[in-house]
Coordinates of all heavy atoms in Angstrom, one line a residue:
M1 N 151.9 109.5 96.2 CA 152.4 110.8 96.4 C 151.6 111.5 97.4 O 150.3 111.4 97.4 CB 152.5 111.6 95.1 CG 152.9 113.0 95.3 SD 153.1 114.0 93.8 CE 151.6 113.7 92.9
R2 N 152.2 112.1 98.4 CA 151.5 112.9 99.4 C 152.0 114.3 99.4 O 153.2 114.5 99.3 CB 151.7 112.3 100.8 CG 150.9 113.0 101.9 CD 151.1 112.3 103.2 NE 150.6 110.9 103.1 CZ 150.9 109.9 103.9 NH1 151.7 110.2 104.9 NH2 150.4 108.7 103.8
I3 N 151.1 115.3 99.3 CA 151.5 116.7 99.3 C 151.0 117.4 100.6 O 149.7 117.3 100.8 CB 151.0 117.4 98.1 CG1 151.5 116.8 96.8 CG2 151.3 118.9 98.1 CD1 150.9 117.3 95.6
N4 N 151.8 118.0 101.4 CA 151.4 118.7 102.6 C 151.4 120.2 102.3 O 152.4 120.7 101.9 CB 152.3 118.3 103.8 CG 152.1 116.9 104.2 OD1 151.1 116.3 104.3 ND2 153.3 116.2 104.4
I5 N 150.3 120.8 102.6 CA 150.3 122.3 102.5 C 149.8 122.8 103.9 O 148.7 122.4 104.3 CB 149.3 122.7 101.4 CG1 149.8 122.2 100.1 CG2 149.2 124.3 101.4 CD1 148.8 122.4 98.9
Y6 N 150.6 123.6 104.5 CA 150.3 124.1 105.8 C 149.4 125.3 105.8 O 149.5 126.1 104.8 CB 151.6 124.3 106.6 CG 152.4 123.1 106.7 CD1 153.4 122.8 105.9 CD2 152.0 122.1 107.7 CE1 154.1 121.6 105.9 CE2 152.7 120.9 107.8 CZ 153.7 120.7 106.9 OH 154.4 119.5 107.0
S7 N 148.6 125.6 106.8 CA 147.6 126.7 106.8 C 148.3 128.0 106.6 O 147.8 128.9 106.0 CB 146.8 126.7 108.0 OG 147.6 126.8 109.2
Q8 N 149.6 128.1 107.0 CA 150.3 129.4 106.9 C 150.6 129.7 105.4 O 151.0 130.8 105.1 CB 151.6 129.4 107.7 CG 151.4 129.2 109.2 CD 151.4 127.7 109.6 OE1 151.1 126.8 108.9 NE2 151.6 127.5 110.9
E9 N 150.6 128.6 104.6 CA 150.9 128.8 103.2 C 149.7 129.1 102.3 O 149.8 129.5 101.2 CB 151.6 127.5 102.6 CG 152.9 127.2 103.3 CD 153.4 125.8 102.9 OE1 152.6 124.8 103.1 OE2 154.5 125.7 102.4
L10 N 148.5 129.0 102.9 CA 147.3 129.1 102.1 C 147.0 130.6 101.8 O 147.3 131.5 102.7 CB 146.1 128.5 102.8 CG 146.2 127.0 102.9 CD1 145.0 126.5 103.7 CD2 146.1 126.3 101.5
T11 N 146.4 130.9 100.7 CA 145.9 132.2 100.4 C 144.4 132.0 99.9 O 144.0 130.9 99.8 CB 146.7 132.9 99.2 OG1 146.4 132.2 98.0 CG2 148.2 132.9 99.5
K12 N 143.8 133.1 99.7 CA 142.4 133.0 99.2 C 142.3 133.2 97.7 O 141.3 133.2 97.1 CB 141.5 134.1 99.9 CG 141.4 133.9 101.4 CD 140.6 135.0 102.0 CE 140.5 134.8 103.5 NZ 139.8 135.9 104.2
E13 N 143.5 133.2 97.1 CA 143.6 133.4 95.6 C 143.4 132.1 94.8 O 144.3 131.2 94.9 CB 144.9 134.1 95.2 CG 144.9 134.5 93.8 CD 146.2 135.2 93.4 OE1 147.1 135.4 94.2 OE2 146.3 135.6 92.2
V14 N 142.3 132.0 94.2 CA 142.0 130.8 93.3 C 141.6 131.3 92.0 O 140.8 132.2 91.9 CB 140.8 130.0 94.0 CG1 140.5 128.8 93.1 CG2 141.2 129.6 95.4
V15 N 142.2 130.7 90.9 CA 141.8 131.2 89.5 C 141.6 130.0 88.6 O 142.1 128.9 88.9 CB 143.0 132.1 89.0 CG1 143.2 133.3 89.8 CG2 144.3 131.3 88.9
V16 N 140.9 130.2 87.5 CA 140.8 129.2 86.5 C 141.9 129.5 85.5 O 142.2 130.6 85.1 CB 139.4 129.4 85.8 CG1 139.3 128.4 84.6 CG2 138.3 129.1 86.7
I17 N 142.6 128.4 85.1 CA 143.6 128.5 84.1 C 143.3 127.6 82.9 O 142.5 126.6 83.0 CB 145.0 128.2 84.6 CG1 145.1 126.7 85.1 CG2 145.4 129.1 85.7 CD1 146.5 126.2 85.3
S18 N 143.8 127.9 81.7 CA 143.6 127.1 80.5 C 145.0 126.9 79.8 O 145.8 127.9 79.8 CB 142.7 127.7 79.6 OG 141.4 127.9 80.2
K19 N 145.2 125.7 79.3 CA 146.4 125.5 78.6 C 146.1 124.7 77.3 O 145.2 123.8 77.4 CB 147.4 124.6 79.4 CG 147.9 125.2 80.7 CD 149.0 126.2 80.3 CE 149.6 126.7 81.6 NZ 150.7 127.6 81.5
V20 N 146.7 125.1 76.2 CA 146.5 124.3 75.0 C 147.6 123.4 74.8 O 148.8 123.8 74.8 CB 146.4 125.3 73.8 CG1 146.2 124.5 72.5 CG2 145.3 126.3 74.0
A21 N 147.3 122.1 74.6 CA 148.3 121.0 74.5 C 148.8 121.1 73.0 O 148.2 121.7 72.1 CB 147.7 119.7 74.8
D22 N 149.9 120.3 72.8 CA 150.5 120.2 71.5 C 149.5 119.6 70.5 O 149.5 119.9 69.3 CB 151.7 119.3 71.5 CG 152.8 119.9 72.3 OD1 152.8 121.1 72.5 OD2 153.8 119.2 72.6
T23 N 148.5 118.9 71.0 CA 147.5 118.3 70.1 C 146.4 119.2 69.7 O 145.5 118.9 68.9 CB 146.8 117.1 70.9 OG1 146.2 117.6 72.1 CG2 147.8 116.0 71.3
G24 N 146.4 120.4 70.3 CA 145.4 121.4 70.1 C 144.2 121.4 71.0 O 143.4 122.3 71.0
R25 N 144.2 120.4 71.9 CA 143.2 120.3 72.9 C 143.4 121.2 74.0 O 144.5 121.4 74.5 CB 143.1 118.8 73.4 CG 141.9 118.5 74.3 CD 141.8 117.1 74.5 NE 140.6 116.8 75.2 CZ 140.2 115.6 75.5 NH1 140.9 114.5 75.2 NH2 139.0 115.4 76.1
T26 N 142.4 121.9 74.5 CA 142.5 122.8 75.6 C 142.1 122.1 76.9 O 141.1 121.5 77.0 CB 141.6 124.0 75.4 OG1 142.0 124.7 74.2 CG2 141.7 125.0 76.5
Y27 N 143.0 122.3 77.9 CA 142.7 121.8 79.3 C 142.5 122.9 80.2 O 143.1 124.0 80.1 CB 143.9 120.9 79.7 CG 144.1 119.7 78.9 CD1 144.9 119.7 77.7 CD2 143.4 118.5 79.2 CE1 145.0 118.5 77.0 CE2 143.5 117.3 78.4 CZ 144.4 117.4 77.3 OH 144.5 116.2 76.6
H28 N 141.6 122.7 81.2 CA 141.3 123.7 82.2 C 141.7 123.2 83.6 O 141.5 122.0 83.8 CB 139.8 124.1 82.1 CG 139.4 124.6 80.8 ND1 139.7 125.8 80.3 CD2 138.8 123.9 79.8 CE1 139.2 125.9 79.1 NE2 138.6 124.8 78.7
G29 N 142.0 124.1 84.4 CA 142.3 123.7 85.8 C 141.9 124.8 86.8 O 141.7 126.0 86.4
I30 N 141.9 124.5 88.0 CA 141.7 125.4 89.1 C 143.0 125.5 89.9 O 143.5 124.5 90.4 CB 140.5 124.9 90.0 CG1 139.2 124.7 89.3 CG2 140.3 125.9 91.2 CD1 138.7 125.9 88.6
R31 N 143.5 126.7 90.0 CA 144.8 126.9 90.6 C 144.6 127.7 91.9 O 144.0 128.7 92.0 CB 145.8 127.7 89.7 CG 147.1 127.9 90.3 CD 148.1 128.4 89.3 NE 148.4 127.3 88.4 CZ 149.1 127.4 87.2 NH1 149.4 128.6 86.8 NH2 149.3 126.4 86.5
L32 N 145.2 127.1 93.0 CA 145.2 127.7 94.3 C 146.7 128.2 94.6 O 147.6 127.4 94.6 CB 144.8 126.7 95.4 CG 145.1 127.0 96.8 CD1 144.2 128.2 97.3 CD2 144.8 125.8 97.7
Y33 N 146.8 129.5 94.6 CA 148.2 130.1 94.9 C 148.5 130.0 96.4 O 147.7 130.1 97.2 CB 148.2 131.5 94.4 CG 148.4 131.6 92.9 CD1 147.3 131.9 92.1 CD2 149.6 131.5 92.3 CE1 147.4 131.9 90.8 CE2 149.7 131.6 90.9 CZ 148.6 131.8 90.2 OH 148.8 131.9 88.8
L34 N 149.8 129.7 96.6 CA 150.3 129.7 98.0 C 151.0 131.0 98.3 O 151.5 131.7 97.4 CB 151.2 128.5 98.1 CG 150.6 127.1 97.8 CD1 151.7 126.0 97.9 CD2 149.4 126.8 98.6
H35 N 151.1 131.2 99.6 CA 151.8 132.5 100.1 C 153.2 132.5 99.6 O 153.9 131.4 99.7 CB 151.7 132.5 101.6 CG 152.5 133.7 102.1 ND1 152.0 135.0 102.0 CD2 153.6 133.8 102.8 CE1 152.9 135.8 102.5 NE2 153.9 135.1 103.0
S36 N 153.7 133.6 99.2 CA 155.0 133.8 98.7 C 155.5 135.2 99.1 O 154.9 136.2 98.7 CB 155.1 133.6 97.2 OG 156.4 133.7 96.7
P37 N 156.6 135.2 99.9 CA 157.1 136.5 100.3 C 157.5 137.4 99.1 O 158.1 136.9 98.1 CB 158.4 136.2 101.1 CG 158.2 134.8 101.5 CD 157.4 134.1 100.4
D38 N 157.2 138.7 99.2 CA 157.5 139.7 98.1 C 159.0 139.6 97.8 O 159.4 139.9 96.6 CB 157.1 141.1 98.5 CG 155.6 141.2 98.6 OD1 154.9 140.4 97.9 OD2 155.1 142.1 99.2
L39 N 159.9 139.4 98.7 CA 161.3 139.4 98.5 C 161.8 138.4 97.5 O 162.9 138.5 96.9 CB 162.1 139.4 99.8 CG 162.0 138.1 100.6 CD1 163.2 137.2 100.3 CD2 162.1 138.5 102.1
L40 N 160.9 137.4 97.2 CA 161.3 136.4 96.2 C 161.0 136.8 94.8 O 161.4 136.1 93.9 CB 160.5 135.1 96.5 CG 160.9 134.4 97.9 CD1 160.0 133.2 98.0 CD2 162.3 134.1 98.0
H41 N 160.4 137.9 94.6 CA 160.0 138.3 93.2 C 160.7 139.6 92.9 O 160.7 140.6 93.6 CB 158.5 138.5 93.2 CG 157.7 137.3 93.7 ND1 157.6 136.2 93.0 CD2 157.1 137.1 94.9 CE1 157.0 135.3 93.6 NE2 156.6 135.8 94.8
H42 N 161.4 139.6 91.7 CA 162.2 140.7 91.3 C 161.4 141.9 90.8 O 161.7 143.0 91.0 CB 163.2 140.2 90.2 CG 164.1 139.1 90.7 ND1 165.0 139.3 91.6 CD2 164.1 137.8 90.4 CE1 165.6 138.2 91.9 NE2 165.1 137.2 91.1
T43 N 160.2 141.6 90.2 CA 159.4 142.6 89.6 C 157.9 142.2 89.9 O 157.7 141.0 90.1 CB 159.6 142.9 88.1 OG1 159.2 141.7 87.4 CG2 161.0 143.2 87.8
P44 N 157.0 143.1 89.8 CA 155.5 142.7 89.9 C 155.1 141.7 88.8 O 154.2 140.9 89.0 CB 154.8 144.0 89.7 CG 155.8 145.1 90.1 CD 157.1 144.5 89.7
E45 N 155.8 141.7 87.7 CA 155.5 140.8 86.6 C 156.0 139.4 86.8 O 155.7 138.4 86.2 CB 156.0 141.3 85.2 CG 155.3 142.6 84.8 CD 155.9 143.8 85.5 OE1 157.1 143.8 85.8 OE2 155.2 144.8 85.7
D46 N 156.9 139.3 87.8 CA 157.6 138.0 88.1 C 156.6 137.1 89.0 O 156.6 137.2 90.2 CB 158.9 138.2 88.9 CG 159.6 137.0 89.3 OD1 159.3 135.9 88.7 OD2 160.5 137.0 90.2
D47 N 155.8 136.4 88.3 CA 154.8 135.6 89.0 C 155.2 134.1 89.0 O 154.7 133.3 88.2 CB 153.4 135.7 88.3 CG 152.3 135.1 89.2 OD1 152.6 134.6 90.3 OD2 151.2 135.1 88.7
D48 N 156.2 133.8 89.8 CA 156.7 132.5 89.9 C 156.3 131.9 91.2 O 157.1 131.1 91.9 CB 158.3 132.5 89.8 CG 158.9 131.1 89.5 OD1 158.1 130.3 89.1 OD2 160.1 131.0 89.8
R49 N 155.1 132.2 91.7 CA 154.6 131.7 93.0 C 154.3 130.2 92.9 O 154.0 129.7 91.9 CB 153.4 132.5 93.4 CG 153.6 134.0 93.6 CD 152.4 134.7 93.9 NE 151.5 134.7 92.7 CZ 150.3 135.1 92.6 NH1 149.7 135.4 93.7 NH2 149.6 135.1 91.5
S50 N 154.5 129.6 94.1 CA 154.0 128.2 94.2 C 152.5 128.2 94.2 O 151.8 129.1 94.6 CB 154.5 127.7 95.5 OG 155.9 127.6 95.6
A51 N 152.0 127.1 93.6 CA 150.6 126.9 93.5 C 150.3 125.4 93.4 O 151.1 124.6 93.1 CB 150.0 127.7 92.3
V52 N 149.0 125.1 93.6 CA 148.5 123.7 93.4 C 147.5 123.9 92.3 O 146.5 124.7 92.4 CB 147.9 123.1 94.7 CG1 147.4 121.8 94.4 CG2 149.0 123.1 95.8
T53 N 147.6 123.1 91.2 CA 146.6 123.1 90.2 C 145.9 121.8 90.1 O 146.5 120.7 90.1 CB 147.3 123.4 88.8 OG1 148.0 124.6 88.9 CG2 146.3 123.5 87.7
F54 N 144.6 121.9 90.1 CA 143.7 120.7 90.0 C 143.2 120.7 88.6 O 142.4 121.6 88.2 CB 142.6 120.7 91.0 CG 143.0 120.7 92.4 CD1 143.2 121.9 93.1 CD2 143.2 119.5 93.1 CE1 143.6 121.8 94.4 CE2 143.6 119.4 94.4 CZ 143.8 120.6 95.1
W55 N 143.6 119.8 87.7 CA 143.2 119.8 86.3 C 141.8 119.2 86.3 O 141.6 118.2 86.9 CB 144.2 119.1 85.5 CG 145.5 119.9 85.4 CD1 146.6 119.6 86.1 CD2 145.7 121.0 84.6 NE1 147.5 120.6 85.8 CE2 147.0 121.5 84.8 CE3 144.9 121.7 83.7 CZ2 147.6 122.6 84.2 CZ3 145.5 122.9 83.1 CH2 146.8 123.3 83.4
I56 N 140.9 119.8 85.5 CA 139.6 119.3 85.4 C 139.6 118.1 84.5 O 140.1 118.1 83.4 CB 138.7 120.4 84.7 CG1 138.8 121.7 85.5 CG2 137.2 119.9 84.6 CD1 138.4 121.7 86.9
P57 N 139.0 117.0 85.0 CA 139.0 115.7 84.3 C 138.2 115.8 83.0 O 137.2 116.5 82.9 CB 138.4 114.7 85.3 CG 137.7 115.5 86.3 CD 138.3 116.9 86.3
Q58 N 138.7 115.0 82.0 CA 137.9 114.9 80.8 C 137.7 113.4 80.4 O 137.9 113.0 79.3 CB 138.7 115.6 79.6 CG 138.9 117.1 79.8 CD 139.5 117.8 78.7 OE1 139.8 117.2 77.6 NE2 139.7 119.1 78.8
A59 N 137.3 112.7 81.4 CA 137.1 111.3 81.3 C 135.7 110.9 81.7 O 135.1 111.6 82.5 CB 138.2 110.5 82.1
R60 N 135.2 109.8 81.2 CA 133.9 109.3 81.6 C 134.0 108.7 83.0 O 133.0 108.7 83.8 CB 133.4 108.3 80.6 CG 133.0 109.0 79.3 CD 132.2 108.0 78.4 NE 131.8 108.7 77.2 CZ 132.3 108.3 76.0 NH1 133.1 107.3 75.9 NH2 131.9 109.0 75.0
S61 N 135.2 108.1 83.4 CA 135.3 107.4 84.7 C 135.4 108.4 85.8 O 135.2 108.0 87.0 CB 136.5 106.5 84.6 OG 137.7 107.3 84.3
F62 N 135.8 109.6 85.6 CA 135.9 110.6 86.7 C 135.6 112.0 86.0 O 136.5 112.5 85.3 CB 137.3 110.6 87.3 CG 137.4 111.4 88.6 CD1 136.9 110.9 89.8 CD2 138.0 112.7 88.6 CE1 137.0 111.6 90.9 CE2 138.0 113.4 89.8 CZ 137.5 112.9 90.9
T63 N 134.5 112.5 86.3 CA 134.0 113.7 85.6 C 134.2 115.0 86.3 O 134.6 114.9 87.5 CB 132.5 113.6 85.3 OG1 131.8 113.6 86.6 CG2 132.1 112.2 84.6
P64 N 134.0 116.1 85.7 CA 134.1 117.4 86.5 C 133.1 117.4 87.7 O 133.5 117.9 88.7 CB 133.7 118.4 85.4 CG 134.1 117.9 84.1 CD 133.8 116.4 84.3
A65 N 132.0 116.8 87.5 CA 131.0 116.7 88.6 C 131.6 115.9 89.8 O 131.4 116.2 91.0 CB 129.7 116.2 88.2
D66 N 132.3 114.8 89.4 CA 133.0 114.0 90.5 C 134.0 114.8 91.2 O 134.1 114.7 92.4 CB 133.6 112.8 89.8 CG 132.7 111.8 89.2 OD1 131.5 111.6 89.8 OD2 133.0 111.1 88.3
L67 N 134.8 115.6 90.5 CA 135.8 116.4 91.1 C 135.1 117.4 92.0 O 135.6 117.7 93.2 CB 136.7 117.1 90.1 CG 137.8 118.0 90.6 CD1 138.8 117.2 91.5 CD2 138.5 118.7 89.5
A68 N 134.1 118.1 91.6 CA 133.3 119.0 92.4 C 132.8 118.4 93.7 O 132.8 119.0 94.8 CB 132.2 119.7 91.6
A69 N 132.3 117.1 93.5 CA 131.8 116.4 94.7 C 132.9 116.1 95.7 O 132.7 116.2 96.9 CB 131.2 115.1 94.3
V70 N 134.1 115.8 95.2 CA 135.3 115.6 96.1 C 135.6 116.9 96.9 O 135.8 116.9 98.1 CB 136.5 115.2 95.3 CG1 137.8 115.2 96.1 CG2 136.3 113.8 94.8
F71 N 135.6 118.1 96.2 CA 135.9 119.4 96.8 C 134.8 119.7 97.8 O 135.1 120.2 98.9 CB 136.0 120.5 95.8 CG 137.2 120.4 94.9 CD1 137.2 120.9 93.6 CD2 138.4 119.9 95.4 CE1 138.3 120.9 92.8 CE2 139.5 119.9 94.6 CZ 139.5 120.4 93.3
R72 N 133.5 119.4 97.5 CA 132.4 119.6 98.5 C 132.6 118.7 99.7 O 132.4 119.2 100.8 CB 131.1 119.3 97.8 CG 130.6 120.5 96.9 CD 129.2 120.3 96.5 NE 129.0 121.0 95.3 CZ 129.1 120.6 94.0 NH1 129.4 119.3 93.8 NH2 128.9 121.4 93.0
R73 N 133.0 117.5 99.5 CA 133.2 116.6 100.6 C 134.4 117.1 101.5 O 134.3 117.1 102.7 CB 133.5 115.2 100.1 CG 133.9 114.2 101.2 CD 132.6 113.8 102.0 NE 133.0 112.8 103.0 CZ 132.7 112.8 104.3 NH1 132.0 113.8 104.8 NH2 133.1 111.9 105.1
M74 N 135.4 117.6 100.9 CA 136.6 118.2 101.6 C 136.1 119.3 102.5 O 136.4 119.5 103.6 CB 137.7 118.6 100.7 CG 138.4 117.5 100.0 SD 139.6 118.0 98.7 CE 140.7 119.1 99.6
A75 N 135.3 120.2 101.9 CA 134.7 121.4 102.6 C 133.9 120.9 103.8 O 134.0 121.5 104.9 CB 133.9 122.3 101.6
D76 N 133.1 119.9 103.6 CA 132.2 119.4 104.7 C 133.1 118.9 105.8 O 132.8 119.1 107.0 CB 131.3 118.3 104.2 CG 130.2 118.7 103.3 OD1 129.9 120.0 103.2 OD2 129.6 117.9 102.6
L77 N 134.2 118.2 105.5 CA 135.1 117.6 106.5 C 135.8 118.8 107.2 O 135.9 118.7 108.5 CB 136.1 116.7 105.9 CG 135.5 115.4 105.4 CD1 136.6 114.6 104.6 CD2 135.0 114.5 106.5
V78 N 136.2 119.8 106.5 CA 136.9 120.9 107.2 C 135.9 121.6 108.1 O 136.3 121.9 109.3 CB 137.4 122.0 106.1 CG1 137.8 123.3 106.8 CG2 138.5 121.4 105.3
E79 N 134.7 121.9 107.7 CA 133.7 122.5 108.5 C 133.3 121.7 109.7 O 132.8 122.2 110.7 CB 132.5 123.0 107.7 CG 132.9 124.1 106.7 CD 131.8 124.4 105.8 OE1 130.8 123.6 105.6 OE2 131.8 125.5 105.2
G80 N 133.4 120.4 109.6 CA 133.1 119.5 110.7 C 134.1 119.3 111.8 O 133.8 118.8 112.8
I81 N 135.3 119.8 111.6 CA 136.4 119.7 112.6 C 136.2 120.8 113.6 O 136.0 121.9 113.3 CB 137.8 119.8 111.9 CG1 138.0 118.7 111.0 CG2 138.9 119.9 112.9 CD1 139.3 118.8 110.1
N82 N 136.3 120.3 114.9 CA 136.1 121.3 116.0 C 137.5 121.4 116.7 O 137.8 120.5 117.6 CB 135.1 120.7 116.9 CG 134.7 121.7 118.0 OD1 135.2 122.9 118.0 ND2 133.9 121.3 119.0
P83 N 138.3 122.4 116.3 CA 139.6 122.4 116.9 C 139.6 122.8 118.4 O 138.8 123.4 118.9 CB 140.3 123.6 116.1 CG 139.2 124.3 115.4 CD 138.0 123.4 115.4

């Protein structure tokens, strides 16, 4: 699967989210909200915006530190591009 997000869709809004599964286990994620025109929302409480959520891993084979390292590597690559 490939997901393309264009720079015009990016925002600076990033939040931590938590969800409790049917099993009672709590999962955490980092959510990056995408730009959404106001005309798509009926009320201020209507938060049906598009977003990308990166769920924090809970495995020994890929840890939260591994995910953080991936994000740091992405940031290094972005900062190294000379447009």
